[in-house]
Amino acid sequence: GPPSTEVSKEASRVCGCTPPATMFRVRRMVLLLTLCASSVVAFKDHEFKTCDTNPFCKRNRNREPATAKYAVTKDGVAAQGLGAKAVLEDSVSGQRLSLDLRVYKGGQVRVTAREADAAVRRLSVPDVLEPGLDKTQVAWDSVGQHGSMATRLVHGDSNVVIEHSPFALRMYKGSNELLKFNSQQLLHYELQGARQENHTEDMWEAKFKGFTDKIRFGPTSIMFDVSFPESQEVYGLPEHATAMALKPTKGEGVTSEPYRLYNLDVFEYLHDSPFGLYGSIPFLMAHGVKGSTGVFWLNAAEMYVDVSRHPSAKYPQTSWFAESGLLDVFLMPGPSPANVVQQYSALAGNTYLPPLFSIGYHQCRWNYRDEADVDQVDDGFDENIMPYDVIWLDIEHTNGKRYFTWDKNLFPTPARMQNDIASKGRKMVNIVDPHIKRDDGYYVHKEATSMGLYVKDSAGKDYEGWCWPGSSSYLDFTNPQVRNYWASKFSLSQYEGSTSNLYIWNDMNEPSVFNGPEISMPKDLIHYGDWEHRDVHNLYGYYLHMATSDGLMKREPGNLRPFVLSRAFYAGTQRIGPIWTGDNGADWNHLKVSLPMLLTLGLSGLTFSGADVGGFFGNPDAELMIRWYQVGAFYPFFRGHAHQETKRREPWLFGEPSTTHIRNSLRMRYNLLPYMYTLFAEASETNAPIMRPLFYEFPQDPALFAKEDAFMVGPAILVAPVLAKGQASVQATLPGTGVWYRLATGAPHRSPDTINVDTRDLGTLPVFVRGGYIVPRRERPRRSTAAMQSDPYTLLIALDLSGQATGYLYEDDGMTVSHKQGAFIHRKFEFSQNQLKSTARSLPVGRAIYSSSSLIERIVILGMQKIPKSVTVQSDGRQLVTSYGPVDPISVAGSAPTSAVVIRKPELPFSADWALQFEL
């Protein structure tokens, strides 16, 4: 029968939707309410599978080594074209696999294995690898016999040894054995085909929480193992709220779930768990004092990874198993963490260069009530002299959760509202989710139905699920036609009330289905190309993100860089836009775990990421808000966000001195934007993470391999934040052999060392600048990035022990894609032998031209022991005035230290070559 009135009202209150009376039985509504209620209570682990309740995981995790005994057939390993090929045969079942081995310019080795039977259909994941990757494949230098039962494949100083019986692969860099593939003999392919006598019922029909998954092709899972004999730690496999150095999940004395990679809508997730969250990147980095290596499995099905330690040697071992798909694995030889990131990014792409406004501060809430509320929040930043760039609207801005619409009562003049925001150089973001309200009067649903654009159920009908609008269907974004359709919806002529200053947020795109198994889609739904949802699940949100970004790129005027935030992600998302870590809590544990989560994302190629400042659920006190803003100022993506049932928490609402402390954090972010934007420009070429672990910069120091309570921002800045309530001091580790300077005071500290920083004053944040680097800043307080566009620069020069330093500064128009045609300026600054000079770091290639009138108005030098007798501009002979002065105009740190030498108003053009000569 229909749900009761009370149930319907409660669903509407909690979930923001009105369920149709005839849609579900009462028991299904109770389930829906349980799920919705969990979003404001706590993580409900019973709603999600464990390995033991997931048949393919249980089968593979309990598999004994050498259950399948693969060996290279008598034909051996032979060069073929640019690559090498072999056939593997399982001596137990007789199953044969075709093995293909390729190598690329960066040294990456690709290992592909599939059933030798060409009729077997497995998904080779499309649209993730760089389009030009095939052109970078090179021939093996040699393929030859290695002993009596092995083949060696050589490429430069890397080589791969294939052991024939039993089959195993060993990868070397010089004499270092980087990794071993199938050394535990766990390789196993579940043979696709007819039902076998030894098949259990759950191989063809899996049940969970009242749902039945009919597995059309039966068991098709894959398993393999990889070990890292020269490494101490392993990292990666986002997204999990857990340690950066991945903890063992299996082995003596260890009781844990494996790390799961299956995109799910997880309410208020636990702060320390291997449970998979909103996104999945099946990439892992291993690191030790002898170097780094990486593994990437191109597979979009549900996946698990176990981490253990070798019983005697204690090096990391991993076992990987996925429900379906193809064994298509890339091995990266390093040898440094930076090399591994670059090698992975050559496969999956670099970070796109975001518009400048998007690395400013974002203010969000579920929901700003109406236009007057938006105007008041916007004015509040100006009245409290706080910079910000973007204000966000959540689902309540729509007409009944119909995306691409507005609630005309609450937002009657949306274009006027956006234009008012834009008049201050600011932008707006609207949420647009993938579920489409099933309403024949809603034009998107009507079009999608008539054009056949929805995901289908196993009977071929449009799938109906339940989400914020109530009864909903889901566009099939795996279909290029659907992606093109979706992109067209963002045209200014089609998205009524939108302007070119409106950007987009894709949420709920795991996809989230309130009445589905594990709050997601059934795995037996059918997608484009007749692929089951189980094959493409982790790609769904990725494709939505791609289509939305494409829509913003194509809309009028057609040359603006898109900005689209996504919750779900997959490998390659970095080419599209940023993500955030989802529905965290307003507590110190979630602040603390945000660091390893974001560091892991950066190591896994997805550096444009952040966590909701203040926590999404709950009500943070003033101390937590102050400390979170201090950390958030260094997140690559910096946004405050809150649940609709929390107290209002705009950054000035906590009173003094909290308002001043938060204002200082916002100003710190804006002062450092030239440095951070330069890092993003470099990430667009190398994908080097913006926020990076200390071991990334100091890979030879074992004490840093698992350190996650401090981090680097680029190569020059170290942040050691306060992560616990009432924390009176921070033990700041300063690695390397050299010198570091407190950003607030300029005080020098020789390294390696650990220093105690008194943090009883809530305004104190331990931040250090690394000797040998130059950090560009803009120090004039402004309301937004647009207001800073022509501001002069300050160069903060932190000399190393030999009196040298180097830094870079990138500038373009911050908005368009003309930088791809050469419209940018990228400068290099060097201080050496008492001379500071400016030269071009890279010359633009292309027809576009960019010019800048910005000047260098202040130079601050740390580590210069006395004021120079003279500073001369070599081009015109001008003598510049020097004195002692403050390092940081924000910090209230007392008198300026003697190590800070300041040159005021040198009036040097940022974009030109010049040199200053110092006489000491």
Side-chain angles (χ1 to χ4, degrees):
S4 68
T5 301
E6 290 75 14
V7 169
S8 298
K9 287 180 179 178
E10 183 64 6
S12 178
R13 184 189 74 79
V14 177
C15 291
C17 54
T18 304
T22 59
M23 187 46 112
F24 296 110
R25 297 176 182 174
V26 171
R27 65 180 182 84
R28 178 125 329 161
M29 285 305 305
V30 171
L31 169 64
L32 168 62
L33 291 171
T34 302
L35 297 177
C36 293
S38 69
S39 70
V40 293
V41 180
F43 173 65
K44 301 290 186 183
D45 58 354
H46 62 275
E47 298 294 347
F48 301 99
K49 295 177 183 177
T50 64
C51 189
D52 276 348
T53 58
N54 200 341
F56 92 88
C57 181
K58 185 176 182 179
R59 288 196 305 273
N60 285 284
R61 199 181 198 202
N62 293 335
R63 193 180 304 282
E64 294 295 327
T67 303
K69 298 180 180 179
Y70 288 101
V72 176
T73 61
K74 62 181 180 180
D75 294 330
V77 181
Q80 185 172 327
L82 296 179
K85 293 183 180 294
V87 174
L88 304 180
E89 185 173 67
D90 177 5
S91 62
V92 177
S93 67
Q95 179 195 47
R96 286 194 163 199
L97 301 177
S98 296
L99 180 69
D100 184 66
L101 300 158
R102 307 180 204 176
V103 65
Y104 297 87
K105 285 182 180 178
Q108 308 95 324
V109 173
R110 187 176 191 175
V111 181
T112 308
R114 65 177 76 218
E115 288 100 332
D117 180 359
V120 173
R121 193 166 181 261
R122 288 183 179 267
L123 179 66
S124 179
V125 175
D127 305 315
V128 169
L129 297 178
E130 280 285 85
L133 180 64
D134 287 346
K135 296 178 181 178
T136 70
Q137 185 184 350
V138 295
W140 292 100
D141 296 341
S142 64
V143 178
Q145 190 170 339
H146 180 69
S148 60
M149 290 296 292
T151 303
R152 183 188 296 273
L153 295 81
V154 178
H155 172 70
D157 64 347
S158 298
N159 62 90
V160 172
V161 173
I162 306 297
E163 298 175 354
H164 291 193
S165 184
F167 164 70
L169 180 154
R170 298 174 184 267
M171 187 175 185
Y172 296 84
K173 188 83 168 176
S175 61
N176 289 336
E177 186 179 19
L178 302 178
L179 59 81
K180 301 186 290 187
F181 182 95
N182 202 38
S183 64
Q184 299 178 70
Q185 295 298 299
L186 290 174
L187 176 63
H188 187 74
Y189 248 88
E190 288 187 327
L191 189 62
Q192 193 178 113
R195 189 186 295 256
Q196 304 294 317
E197 289 184 5
N198 62 345
H199 283 181
T200 57
E201 186 63 28
D202 60 11
M203 290 180 169
W204 291 84
E205 195 170 272
K207 299 181 184 297
F208 178 75
K209 304 292 287 187
F211 296 96
T212 298
D213 174 20
K214 295 184 177 180
I215 306 169
R216 181 163 48 150
F217 297 108
T220 57
S221 73
I222 306 169
M223 183 178 189
F224 62 87
D225 63 88
V226 187
S227 300
F228 306 93
E230 301 285 5
S231 295
Q232 280 76 55
E233 302 289 352
V234 290
Y235 316 89
L237 304 177
E239 182 178 34
H240 304 93
T242 189
M244 178 185 69
L246 294 174
K247 302 174 184 178
T249 59
K250 202 171 185 181
E252 186 177 354
V254 177
T255 303
S256 172
E257 286 288 302
Y259 294 102
R260 190 184 190 191
L261 288 93
Y262 190 66
N263 299 357
L264 290 171
D265 178 1
V266 185
F267 304 122
E268 198 170 1
Y269 50 82
L270 301 175
H271 69 270
D272 186 9
S273 170
F275 188 83
L277 299 179
Y278 312 94
S280 301
I281 302 178
F283 166 85
L284 181 142
M285 178 189 292
H287 179 72
V289 292
K290 292 187 177 181
S292 306
T293 187
V295 176
F296 169 51
W297 187 5
L298 182 61
N299 189 314
E302 182 179 7
M303 186 184 300
Y304 290 85
V305 181
D306 262 320
V307 175
S308 60
R309 294 281 177 178
H310 186 277
S312 57
K314 302 302 181 185
Y315 56 73
Q317 301 181 134
T318 59
S319 53
W320 306 58
F321 27 104
E323 183 177 16
S324 63
L326 186 67
L327 195 158
D328 192 1
V329 178
F330 293 82
L331 310 175
M332 285 145 274
S336 71
N339 294 144
V340 172
V341 170
Q342 288 178 352
Q343 289 156 1
Y344 167 69
S345 301
L347 308 173
N350 292 325
T351 297
Y352 93 121
L353 182 59
L356 180 59
F357 75 81
S358 68
I359 62 171
Y361 175 67
H362 301 246
Q363 183 64 38
C364 185
R365 179 177 178 82
W366 177 24
N367 201 85
Y368 287 120
R369 295 183 299 269
D370 51 29
E371 290 183 1
D373 198 8
V374 169
D375 292 341
Q376 289 170 6
V377 172
D378 180 62
D379 290 341
F381 277 91
D382 294 334
E383 291 165 3
N384 289 278
I385 322 174
M386 291 180 170
Y388 94 106
D389 263 80
V390 191
I391 191 165
W392 294 52
L393 294 179
D394 211 314
I395 53 177
E396 311 303 335
H397 82 275
T398 62
N399 175 20
K401 314 301 187 298
R402 299 169 180 87
Y403 302 107
F404 306 103
T405 70
W406 303 83
D407 185 319
K408 295 297 185 181
N409 293 319
L410 302 178
F411 297 92
T413 57
R416 188 278 315 161
M417 174 179 63
Q418 294 163 58
N419 290 333
D420 285 355
I421 295 291
S423 70
K424 300 179 181 180
R426 293 169 178 154
K427 311 295 179 185
M428 178 166 277
V429 166
N430 272 5
I431 198 168
V432 180
D433 290 345
H435 46 262
I436 303 301
K437 183 178 179 67
R438 294 188 60 83
D439 172 3
D440 290 339
Y442 175 31
Y443 74 101
V444 177
H445 172 63
K446 188 174 182 180
E447 293 171 355
T449 302
S450 65
M451 296 170 68
L453 303 183
Y454 286 134
V455 177
K456 309 300 182 187
D457 64 20
S458 56
K461 298 179 180 179
D462 289 347
Y463 171 67
E464 296 184 35
W466 193 270
C467 208
W468 296 126
S471 181
S472 304
S473 285
Y474 293 73
L475 291 166
D476 183 5
F477 291 100
T478 68
N479 186 338
Q481 179 189 358
V482 174
R483 297 199 296 273
N484 288 334
Y485 167 80
W486 182 260
S488 73
K489 297 293 104 180
F490 294 94
S491 166
L492 300 185
S493 61
Q494 292 206 41
Y495 189 171
E496 183 181 351
S498 69
T499 72
S500 61
N501 293 300
L502 181 69
Y503 294 83
I504 302 299
W505 169 19
N506 290 153
D507 197 5
M508 314 295 286
N509 55 335
E510 293 74 28
S512 178
V513 184
F514 290 160
N515 64 319
E518 298 193 276
I519 321 176
S520 195
M521 280 185 180
K523 289 182 175 180
D524 54 6
L525 298 186
I526 304 301
H527 288 266
Y528 173 73
D530 198 32
W531 293 106
E532 287 189 297
H533 186 70
R534 78 183 73 254
D535 298 304
V536 300
H537 175 86
N538 287 341
L539 290 174
Y540 187 86
Y542 169 80
Y543 275 130
L544 168 66
H545 198 192
M546 177 191 295
T548 306
S549 178
D550 186 47
L552 295 195
M553 187 66 241
K554 290 177 177 176
R555 77 177 180 185
E556 303 84 347
N559 68 338
L560 298 179
R561 285 176 236 170
F563 172 79
V564 182
L565 181 75
S566 175
R567 189 168 70 177
F569 57 87
Y570 186 70
T573 288
Q574 64 272 11
R575 300 193 305 254
I576 303 169
I579 65 98
W580 90 108
T581 61
D583 298 344
N584 58 356
D587 61 65
W588 291 91
N589 285 327
H590 276 96
L591 166 60
K592 185 176 181 180
V593 81
S594 74
L595 300 191
M597 292 181 76
L598 297 180
L599 292 171
T600 295
L601 285 163
L603 289 175
S604 305
L606 187 45
T607 190
F608 196 10
S609 58
D612 284 343
V613 171
F616 179 64
F617 291 110
N619 295 301
D621 61 17
E623 181 184 359
L624 179 57
M625 283 297 282
I626 290 167
R627 295 305 191 190
W628 212 320
Y629 270 95
Q630 288 172 349
V631 176
F634 296 94
Y635 289 164
F637 174 61
F638 185 21
R639 182 182 76 156
H641 186 34
H643 189 276
Q644 63 178 345
E645 294 183 8
T646 64
K647 297 176 183 177
R648 292 293 288 257
R649 59 165 93 146
E650 284 70 41
W652 54 86
L653 292 181
F654 291 85
E656 292 293 354
S658 302
T659 298
T660 294
H661 293 322
I662 294 173
R663 180 189 299 115
N664 285 345
S665 293
L666 293 170
R667 285 186 57 193
M668 172 80 76
R669 171 63 165 225
Y670 279 75
N671 283 5
L672 288 172
L673 282 180
Y675 175 67
M676 296 191 76
Y677 193 54
T678 299
L679 292 176
F680 271 101
E682 294 171 354
S684 71
E685 298 176 355
T686 67
N687 216 23
I690 310 300
M691 182 177 172
R692 56 189 70 164
L694 270 63
F695 85 85
Y696 185 94
E697 288 293 323
F698 302 92
Q700 299 298 313
D701 187 348
L704 304 178
F705 291 174
K707 189 169 181 58
E708 60 184 27
D709 59 355
F711 58 92
M712 300 289 297
V713 180
I717 293 177
L718 187 155
V719 183
V722 173
L723 300 173
K725 186 175 181 62
Q727 187 173 339
S729 64
V730 166
Q731 299 295 310
T733 299
L734 304 179
T737 302
V739 61
W740 296 80
Y741 303 89
R742 279 288 300 275
L743 180 60
T745 66
H749 299 275
R750 294 287 292 267
S751 62
D753 196 8
T754 298
I755 66 169
N756 184 71
V757 181
D758 188 330
T759 55
R760 287 173 294 180
D761 181 343
L762 291 178
T764 299
L765 174 66
V767 181
F768 301 85
V769 182
R770 185 178 175 185
Y773 288 86
I774 298 175
V775 177
R777 308 197 300 188
R778 275 178 162 155
E779 296 178 339
R780 296 184 180 182
R782 300 294 191 189
R783 61 170 42 159
S784 66
T785 55
M788 301 168 65
Q789 189 169 8
S790 299
D791 278 359
Y793 292 105
T794 290
L795 297 182
L796 177 60
I797 302 173
L799 299 179
D800 63 16
L801 296 177
S802 62
Q804 300 185 75
T806 303
Y808 303 93
L809 177 55
Y810 174 91
E811 186 182 302
D812 60 20
D813 63 24
M815 284 297 297
T816 74
V817 295
S818 60
H819 65 286
K820 294 182 178 180
Q821 286 76 47
F824 65 85
I825 298 170
H826 202 172
R827 306 297 297 178
K828 178 181 182 180
F829 302 103
E830 292 179 279
F831 192 100
S832 180
Q833 297 180 336
N834 296 324
Q835 184 186 73
L836 173 65
K837 62 180 180 180
S838 168
T839 57
R841 179 196 180 272
S842 56
L843 295 174
V845 177
R847 297 181 178 181
I849 297 174
Y850 176 75
S851 60
S852 173
S853 60
S854 295
L855 300 174
I856 307 296
E857 78 162 351
R858 190 166 178 258
I859 299 172
V860 179
I861 305 173
L862 304 177
M864 187 171 280
Q865 298 306 313
K866 58 183 178 180
I867 292 182
K869 294 178 182 178
S870 65
V871 179
T872 306
V873 182
Q874 288 194 342
S875 59
D876 58 18
R878 280 189 299 135
Q879 298 291 307
L880 303 181
V881 177
T882 60
S883 65
Y884 294 130
V887 178
D888 185 357
I890 296 174
S891 301
V892 216
S895 59
T898 57
S899 58
V901 172
V902 178
I903 304 171
R904 293 182 176 83
K905 298 191 179 301
E907 306 298 329
L908 297 165
F910 145 70
S911 58
D913 289 358
W914 46 258
L916 299 184
Q917 189 65 47
F918 290 71
E919 182 183 355
L920 299 180

